[in-house]
Each structure stands twice: as structure tokens, then as C-alpha cells.
Amino acid sequence: MNIIGDAKAVRSYDAIVIGSGISGGWAAKELCEKGLKTLVLERGRDVRHIVDYPSATLNPWDFPHRNRMPDAFDQENPIATKCYALDEGTKQYFVKDAEHPYVQEKPFDWIRGYQVGGKSLIWARQTQRWSRFDFEANARDGIAVDWPIRYEDIAPWYSHVEKFVGISGNKDGLETLPDGEFLKPWELNCLEKHIQKRVAESYRDRHVIIGRCAHLTEPQQIHYDQGRAQCQARHLCYRGCPYGGYFSSNSSTLPWAAKTGNLTLRPFSVVHSIIYDDAKGKATGVRVVDTNTKQMTEYYARVIFVNAACLNTNLILLNSTSKRFPNGLGNDSGLLGHYVAFHNYRGSLNATYDGFPDGYFYGRRPTTAFMPNFRNVQKQEMDFQRGYMVAFSASRSGWQRGAGTEGFGAEFKDKLSDPGGWHVYMMMQGETIPKYDNHVRLSKDQKDSWGIPQLVTSVGYDDNDVKSMKDFLEQGADMLEKAGCKTISPYDDHRNPGLDIHEMGGVRMGRDPKTSLLNGHNQLHLVKNVFVTDGAAMTSTGTQNPSITFMALTARAADYAVSELKKKNL
């Protein structure tokens, strides 16, 4: 008995964080800074900043296939290969299709990154705050359930996160997209400024701004303290940035947590389930399967943060059954896994522009022009619910694309030095409405390599999504036409849900345990020492890129959890 007790003590911590990505890294940083001995569990391999970015400084000709994926890879990975960020230089950061199978009841492209840092190494780095309209919309429009928080609750935590991360942006003074703590913004190019001007002249409710992104344009002392440096505008971000010019868990939050001496990082740790003690009425730890040996070990803690990324967080909680919770941890309502939503990226437009023959631009800017949502903001006014954010960029064909241009000799060099004509690409990021039928659940008969039930995805579009997309295509064409663009081509790519990589919900926040899983502090209503602060916690999706909201919610929840521990309420 003493041996068992000693072994348990060795595997006991103040806190356990499941997942090391964007939200997990923030949980680790905040909990470690506040003095908690914290174990971070990551199912994939370790990736150390700088030393484990093998392709970060390679030239196109250094790759066997000039940075293109061979046909054999595409055929073996029909899901992963759809991701825009996957190529020969980044393939090591993506889960191959056969490595972690799941059951698609409806087509769903699940893009995953299993390594220390998770998808924070390969995210698109766009960061927009939610506005008061986003937190109030559910109650106003009767969608899902009311958010248990408002903008004022999270605003100081946005600021807390932004200062540490380093966000490039302009203070635009828009109620629909609140300003934050910004570094110097990137600049729109001449054609984008022209479109910005024409849109402002033509519409009172539409505002074109430069994108806000997690890139260090002018590092502050807090960023130098992290060992990070200025963004070099290389646009090789998905390979891992050796400069730390963009934010990732690897370059920022995890090293910061490690400096406290309170962090224990355990890679190759697949979390099977959370342990619930019926007698104590709380969670006491987690069961972990070693990724390689398949051996199971239990780890124990006073508080647990689940940050495995939306769908895996749902999977873990669904698999965490006990006598008290036979249908999943905290799931008396039966809603766990339901109301999964995502962003609608189906609509896009291409156009050309005759003009600005002497207009050029420098470097490979890591963001685009954005337009905050202008549909159904103050009230319901369309034949569809909610709206969409617009992103667009203008560039000159042929120029800056030497890596993919065929040719040789003098003619090839001349081709590379000719900027060519202007081209505009415009896309939507649409809000989808959380619905009960859009859900994930555990397979009853299929398991993965670690003995865990496979996840069944049953998530799809509805008529509202199609109406929203059609409106975007019409309005996008109208805006481009008013800006003087030509050969405007709208396109519905019919992509599957999931390829947006913005899945949210399933463990939603709310005010009532009968209609939600989490309270206003991201705490399970029925298991007070378990917190969920990744995409699974979202009650609706908004139209903004969600990562900065995940980070802010995590920092806020960690602060609350530590205060509750001190009060001995957990």
C-alpha cells in the first residue's frame, strides 16, 4: 500500500492541462505563473522552438518535390491534403488520415496537428475580438442559448492576452470589431486602398480595414523577454518560425511556463478519459495511454483544464464515464457533443483590375484586408440568420511566385521580374447556427489504436448557410464591380465542414445546467474542478477568427480557478 501511495504522489500535480495548443499553452502559462505545479499532456511528439523546425529556412530547390506533395501522399491522405497549409515543408505537423481514423456519418474534413504546440504552429494567425453584438446575438435572435458572459467580462482578458501575444493592427474605431492592444499595422496596397475607398463611398455600413494578426511588427520588451523577434514577412509561417515573429505555444507560452519551474510537459500521452470520484464528487485525475507503448497510467490533480481542441475535447468528455455520469462527464443534460458549429468558407470570388501599372508592394504580408460583418448586426433584417466577415487581397500575377513558376534561363528571369496584372481574391467567413442535430458521438463498435472509441462526426450545412453564402457572392460581386474590377467570378467550392478548421461547440457555455455544460467561467456545471476553454466551449461562432477568444477565455478561467483553489472551493 505504501508503494502504491508513493507512486500516486509522484504522479500528482496541482493542475493538469490536456493539450498544448493555443488554449492549452495559455492554461499552462497562467497556472504555472500563479504557482501551480502543472502537468501538460500532449498526445504527439515534442517540438522544441527553433531546433525542431527542420524546413524553416529551406529553399524551394532544397525539397525533393519543390515543396509540392507527391501524388501518392495525396491519394493516401484525401482529407489532410485538402488543407491549404500542408505542403512538403509542413507535412510533419499534420495528422495523416490513417493515423487517427474517425467515422464520417456526414462528410467532415477533420484537420489535426498532434505535436507539442498543436495547431498553433500552423494556424492562420488572424485575431479579431468579438463585439457586444456577438455575445448578445443568441438571446436577441433566439439562437442556441444565451451566452453567460458579455463583452465587458472578457475585454480586459483580451487586453491581457494581446499584450503578451503581440497583435498587429490599426485602431479603427468600429463598434462591430472592437479595437485592442495593437502593434504597428501592416499596410494595404494601392489596389486594396482603392477598393477600401470605393466601398466607403458606396456603403455606410461596410468598413475595409487591414487585418489584425499575431505577428510582431515592432516587438516590445515583453516579446524580447520571450526570446522572440520581429516578423520578417517571409510567409513561411507554417514551417515554424525560428524568429518567433508569430505567436505559437512553442515560442511563447510554453517556454514562459517552463521558466517558472512549475511545468512538467509529457508528450506521447493520449488522454483516454477523466477520472471521476463518486465519493468526493469531483474529478481526481486522468487516464493516459502512452502513444507508443500503449501502456495506461493515471495522473492526479486538484484542477483539470481540457484543451485538446474542440472535437477531441468532446471525445475525451464523452469517454469519461462513471456510475455518476454514465453518458459522459457532467452530461446530465444529454447535450454533450451536440450543437457543434463551424465557419462557412464555401463562397469566394476572383476578379481582375486594369490599372496601377506602377503599383508595387513589399514582402509577403501575413494578413489581408478584412471587412467586419454587416448583416443582421443590430437586428434581424435578412432572410437568413447572422452574417459573415469578408476577407480579400490584391496581388500582381507572376510576381513573387517564382517557386511555382516553370522555366529556365534569361526568359525565366524576365518572367519573374514582370509583375503582371492585378488580381483580387475575396472570401467569406460565415457564422453557422448551432443546431442539436449537428453533433459528434462515440462509435459503439470501432476503436482507435489506443483502445478509445472512434469519434463519429454528424455535422453539415443547412439552408441558412446556403442563403448566407449566396448573399455574400452577390454583395461581393457588387462591391468589386463598384471598385472597377473586371471578370468577376463567384464560386461555391462545396467544401465539407471542418476544412475551415474552426470547429466549435459540443461543451457549450450557458447559464443553466439543463441547457449547457459550462458556466460563465468555463467550469463544468456539475464537476466544479474541470474547465474547458478551447473551441468546444463556444456557444456560438461569431464571424471572427476564434483563436484570440479561446486565449482570453482560458486566461480568465485560469485566474478564476486559482482563486477558487485558494478559497478551497475546488
Side-chain angles (χ1 to χ4, degrees):
M1 292 299 292
N2 288 333
I3 294 174
I4 294 173
D6 291 344
K8 182 173 181 178
V10 168
R11 299 195 304 273
S12 294
Y13 299 84
D14 295 320
I16 292 175
V17 177
I18 302 172
S20 63
I22 278 180
S23 63
W26 264 96
K29 170 194 174 294
E30 296 294 303
L31 295 171
C32 286
E33 270 192 317
K34 296 177 188 301
L36 272 61
K37 296 294 184 182
T38 303
L39 173 66
V40 173
L41 298 169
E42 168 56 53
R43 68 180 297 150
R45 63 190 175 92
D46 194 8
V47 173
R48 297 162 297 167
H49 181 49
I50 303 178
V51 297
D52 287 330
Y53 304 155
S55 59
T57 58
L58 296 184
N59 299 298
W61 53 86
D62 293 325
F63 294 97
H65 306 94
R66 294 182 65 187
N67 208 28
R68 300 170 181 170
M69 296 308 298
D71 290 342
F73 181 94
D74 292 346
Q75 292 168 7
E76 293 171 1
N77 298 277
I79 297 171
T81 198
K82 292 179 184 178
C83 182
Y84 63 92
L86 193 154
D87 57 32
E88 205 167 14
T90 65
K91 64 182 186 299
Q92 64 271 19
Y93 302 130
F94 288 85
V95 173
K96 311 308 183 287
D97 290 4
E99 291 175 354
H100 188 197
Y102 61 102
V103 182
Q104 299 183 61
E105 187 168 85
K106 295 179 181 179
F108 189 92
D109 293 330
W110 191 8
I111 306 299
R112 292 154 290 171
Y114 293 164
Q115 62 267 326
V116 169
K119 294 194 296 291
S120 77
L121 286 168
I122 50 177
W123 67 309
R125 308 165 309 282
Q126 303 308 300
T127 51
Q128 306 107 16
R129 292 188 179 198
W130 277 34
S131 73
R132 68 176 183 85
F133 302 110
D134 299 294
F135 288 103
E136 296 168 4
N138 285 11
R140 188 195 72 191
D141 297 336
I143 296 169
V145 294
D146 185 20
W147 275 88
I149 60 172
R150 290 295 185 261
Y151 177 73
E152 292 73 20
D153 297 310
I154 196 173
W157 295 101
Y158 276 135
S159 293
H160 175 73
V161 164
E162 288 163 345
K163 291 174 184 177
F164 191 83
V165 168
I167 306 297
S168 164
N170 186 60
K171 290 190 180 293
D172 300 293
L174 302 177
E175 192 176 14
T176 51
L177 201 68
D179 292 331
E181 311 293 336
F182 295 146
L183 306 177
K184 182 178 68 174
W186 296 90
E187 289 190 23
L188 300 172
N189 62 42
C190 56
L191 179 51
E192 292 163 346
K193 289 178 179 177
H194 168 75
I195 296 173
Q196 179 188 50
K197 180 181 178 183
R198 288 298 178 88
V199 167
E201 292 170 348
S202 304
Y203 310 91
R204 290 188 300 174
D205 60 345
R206 306 184 193 185
H207 308 276
V208 174
I209 66 171
I210 185 63
R212 301 166 181 179
C213 58
H215 283 257
L216 300 181
T217 50
E218 47 181 14
Q220 304 298 299
Q221 188 60 48
I222 186 63
H223 308 122
Y224 290 128
D225 291 345
Q226 296 171 43
R228 299 168 61 198
Q230 185 170 331
C231 173
Q232 303 296 300
R234 303 185 314 148
H235 196 53
L236 299 177
C237 313
Y238 308 111
R239 300 182 188 179
C241 180
Y243 304 95
Y246 77 81
F247 170 83
S248 69
S249 296
N250 309 64
S251 66
S252 181
T253 47
L254 290 177
W256 196 267
K259 287 195 301 183
T260 67
N262 292 324
L263 174 69
T264 300
L265 176 63
R266 192 183 193 279
F268 297 117
S269 301
V270 178
V271 174
H272 174 279
S273 55
I274 295 171
I275 303 165
Y276 182 80
D277 189 310
D278 288 319
K280 294 181 179 179
K282 63 181 181 179
T284 55
V286 298
R287 300 179 185 92
V288 171
V289 181
D290 186 282
T291 305
N292 299 314
T293 68
K294 310 295 172 42
Q295 179 180 353
M296 182 176 286
T297 307
E298 294 183 354
Y299 294 90
Y300 307 95
R302 299 158 63 198
V303 64
I304 298 169
F305 271 67
V306 192
N307 299 91
C310 178
L311 297 193
N312 269 323
T313 287
N314 276 273
L315 190 160
I316 290 168
L317 293 176
L318 285 165
N319 201 43
S320 300
T321 57
S322 62
K323 182 178 179 181
R324 169 66 182 85
F325 295 112
N327 300 313
L329 190 66
N331 190 28
D332 284 2
S333 66
L335 297 180
L336 180 59
H338 291 271
Y339 296 100
V340 172
F342 53 96
H343 276 150
N344 180 3
Y345 277 14
R346 278 174 52 174
S348 62
L349 300 104
N350 285 282
T352 60
Y353 185 83
D354 297 328
F356 300 112
D358 297 325
Y360 302 95
F361 46 91
Y362 167 77
R364 294 172 173 84
R365 188 185 64 196
T367 189
T368 68
F370 276 83
M371 184 186 302
N373 176 40
F374 54 87
R375 290 304 199 203
N376 302 318
V377 175
Q378 306 261 8
K379 61 181 180 179
Q380 180 65 38
E381 53 194 1
M382 305 300 296
D383 65 345
F384 57 89
Q385 290 181 305
R386 307 308 300 135
Y388 48 82
M389 176 175 271
V390 176
F392 71 88
S393 59
S395 61
R396 302 194 71 167
S397 59
W399 195 38
Q400 291 191 314
R401 299 182 183 177
T405 303
E406 302 293 341
F408 184 79
E411 183 180 353
F412 175 62
K413 293 178 180 179
D414 290 341
K415 187 189 301 184
L416 293 183
S417 64
D418 180 9
W422 284 96
H423 170 264
V424 180
Y425 173 75
M426 180 178 283
M427 58 173 281
M428 70 179 295
Q429 184 167 279
E431 179 169 356
T432 64
I433 308 304
K435 303 185 296 291
Y436 179 84
D437 290 343
N438 272 351
H439 74 281
V440 295
R441 64 182 189 274
L442 300 184
S443 172
K444 295 181 179 179
D445 54 7
Q446 298 186 61
K447 294 188 176 182
D448 62 22
S449 299
W450 303 276
I452 299 171
Q454 291 187 24
L455 195 69
V456 179
T457 58
S458 186
V459 179
Y461 296 102
D462 62 13
D463 290 342
N464 194 77
D465 302 323
V466 175
K467 288 180 179 179
S468 175
M469 178 196 63
K470 288 181 176 178
D471 184 74
F472 160 74
L473 293 176
E474 292 172 0
Q475 295 304 311
D478 187 60
M479 288 186 283
L480 291 171
E481 184 177 2
K482 283 182 167 62
C485 294
K486 307 294 184 184
T487 59
I488 301 169
S489 304
Y491 183 60
D492 172 8
D493 66 9
H494 295 281
R495 68 176 62 196
N496 295 331
L499 198 55
D500 53 289
I501 325 180
H502 287 179
E503 56 265 24
M504 291 175 254
V507 197
R508 69 183 181 185
M509 297 172 69
R511 302 178 187 275
D512 187 345
K514 294 180 181 179
T515 57
S516 61
L517 278 297
L518 306 171
N519 66 17
H521 291 284
N522 293 80
Q523 180 182 35
L524 278 176
H525 286 298
L526 304 179
V527 189
K528 298 297 186 182
N529 65 330
V530 175
F531 295 78
V532 177
T533 63
D534 61 12
M538 300 293 278
T539 309
S540 57
T541 72
T543 60
Q544 299 88 326
N545 295 67
S547 297
I548 196 74
T549 299
F550 300 167
M551 293 187 250
L553 287 173
T554 301
R556 180 174 178 268
D559 183 73
Y560 175 78
V562 172
S563 69
E564 290 295 285
L565 281 172
K566 290 179 178 178
K567 297 174 186 175
K568 298 184 179 181
N569 290 335
L570 296 182

